Amino acid sequence: YTCRGDNQLPYYDGIEADYRARFGEDMTSGLIAYFTRGECAAFSERFWRLIAERFRACYFDRISAWCRAHNLLMTGHCMCDDCVQSEYRFSGSVMDNLDRFDVPGVDEINTWLDAPRDYLFAQIQNVRAHGAPHAMAELFALGPCSMPYARMRQMIWTAAAHGVDHFFMAISHLDARGNWKKDNFFHDFAPESPDFAGAAALGQTAEAAARFAARAPLTHSDVALRLPVSAALSTIRTETPDRVDRAVNALIDALRARQIQWTLIREAEKTPAPHTIAFDANGTYTDETTG
């Protein structure tokens, strides 16, 4: 499913009965409040959790079962997984979904280094800590095609630091400027590329990074950020990230600037970190350890 904007919602046959059975009330009043911008925080959170569970059962669980039945490894990534609101709109609960993968992955074809990318890779780090033996990252496809190999190596090692040990160097058309947008055109690892000979060195980097990522995943840090699912879903009315996602990114930026080691944990997960940060629907965060 995908859902954009605040004037539509995903749906499946039987959702009304599921909602009534789970929460003991009819969903009609909640729907009316949602579309008229009335008070609907509880309905919004409940509705999107139901949708996420249904999508996981109908899509990820079925593909995972088919792959195992046919002795295949399931790999790939979820859509729009760089903030809580967008991932629930497009894929549901990303970390729960990735638990179904044999080689869970992320899509970082823009090759950017910022807070949403740290959040994205932190999800992979968490899935590895919960038992995933491998992880993959799709890299570089949106170039630009003049991207230096030093930048590519930087992104490979960034991914490896979060537990990625499989690297998919995305293939695309040679210099496809104008087909997507002119200032951010595709990379190409085809023999026609003028710097294709350097790809062997890039492969050596990937091999070294994979060995590094194979070490025991990081399970302890100075700060644990609790995934703010309830806070984000209770305020999910527009396509753009709300104040909860902005608050998460702002805190990640502050931790990066101070070089404080942090990890992302699931909503109900316990952690031995000295400080555990939780967010409310207003984007305010508190240290659970100290209050």
Side-chain angles (χ1 to χ4, degrees):
Y1 71 89
T2 58
C3 182
R4 295 175 179 268
D6 60 356
N7 61 350
Q8 55 183 307
L9 285 171
Y11 174 86
Y12 65 84
D13 290 337
I15 189 173
E16 297 96 333
D18 288 350
Y19 190 93
R20 191 179 302 109
R22 174 79 67 86
F23 305 112
E25 63 183 49
D26 189 85
M27 60 185 288
T28 302
S29 59
L31 281 171
I32 294 173
Y34 190 97
F35 287 117
T36 59
R37 293 187 173 274
E39 175 53 47
C40 64
F43 165 79
S44 180
E45 179 184 347
R46 294 169 176 177
F47 179 89
W48 284 103
R49 286 186 185 276
L50 273 183
I51 289 293
E53 293 171 9
R54 180 73 169 191
F55 188 48
R56 182 168 60 250
C58 292
Y59 188 71
F60 292 102
D61 284 351
R62 294 179 66 181
I63 295 176
S64 177
W66 187 92
C67 287
R68 285 166 173 75
H70 292 79
N71 198 30
L72 297 172
L73 294 178
M74 179 181 173
T75 189
H77 60 81
C78 298
M79 289 290 293
C80 300
D81 49 359
D82 58 357
C83 71
V84 183
Q85 275 206 352
S86 66
E87 67 188 34
Y88 266 84
R89 284 186 177 277
F90 287 82
S91 300
S93 175
V94 165
M95 285 192 283
D96 288 336
N97 294 339
L98 292 178
D99 284 340
R100 274 65 178 171
F101 286 64
D102 300 294
V103 186
V106 294
D107 183 7
E108 214 316 280
I109 56 178
N110 292 290
T111 318
W112 291 338
L113 295 171
D114 56 14
R117 248 49 58 181
D118 280 2
Y119 168 84
L120 184 154
F121 281 118
Q123 293 182 93
I124 285 293
Q125 181 176 320
N126 182 276
V127 174
R128 286 294 310 271
H130 279 77
H134 302 286
M136 78 87 177
E138 182 182 351
L139 304 172
F140 311 144
L142 293 187
C145 63
S146 58
M147 183 190 306
Y149 275 97
R151 181 62 181 273
M152 298 181 201
R153 295 181 69 213
Q154 179 187 41
M155 185 55 70
I156 288 174
W157 282 106
T158 297
H162 292 87
V164 172
D165 60 353
H166 286 61
F167 306 96
F168 295 176
M169 312 307 185
I171 307 300
S172 55
H173 297 295
L174 180 63
D175 199 352
R177 282 176 287 186
N179 291 348
W180 192 60
K181 63 178 186 178
K182 293 182 179 180
D183 61 346
N184 195 7
F185 45 92
F186 297 97
H187 205 291
D188 194 336
F189 288 97
E192 294 83 2
S193 178
D195 58 355
F196 183 72
L202 197 65
Q204 294 172 358
T205 297
E207 291 177 357
R211 290 192 296 270
F212 173 82
R215 304 188 312 179
L218 177 67
T219 58
H220 178 76
S221 62
D222 299 320
V223 175
L225 301 188
R226 190 173 301 284
L227 194 66
V229 176
S230 296
L233 296 188
S234 66
T235 57
I236 186 170
R237 292 191 181 185
T238 62
E239 183 182 356
T240 56
D242 74 340
R243 54 184 173 269
V244 176
D245 286 316
R246 291 196 297 270
V248 172
N249 288 333
L251 182 55
I252 291 174
D253 273 335
L255 293 172
R256 294 173 66 201
R258 292 163 176 79
Q259 297 187 358
I260 297 174
Q261 181 65 54
W262 63 275
T263 53
L264 185 68
I265 61 174
R266 306 185 191 204
E267 189 171 33
E269 185 175 347
K270 295 182 179 180
T271 174
H275 302 279
T276 301
I277 305 300
F279 294 83
D280 62 21
N282 294 316
T284 303
Y285 63 86
T286 57
D287 186 339
E288 295 180 348
T289 310
T290 62

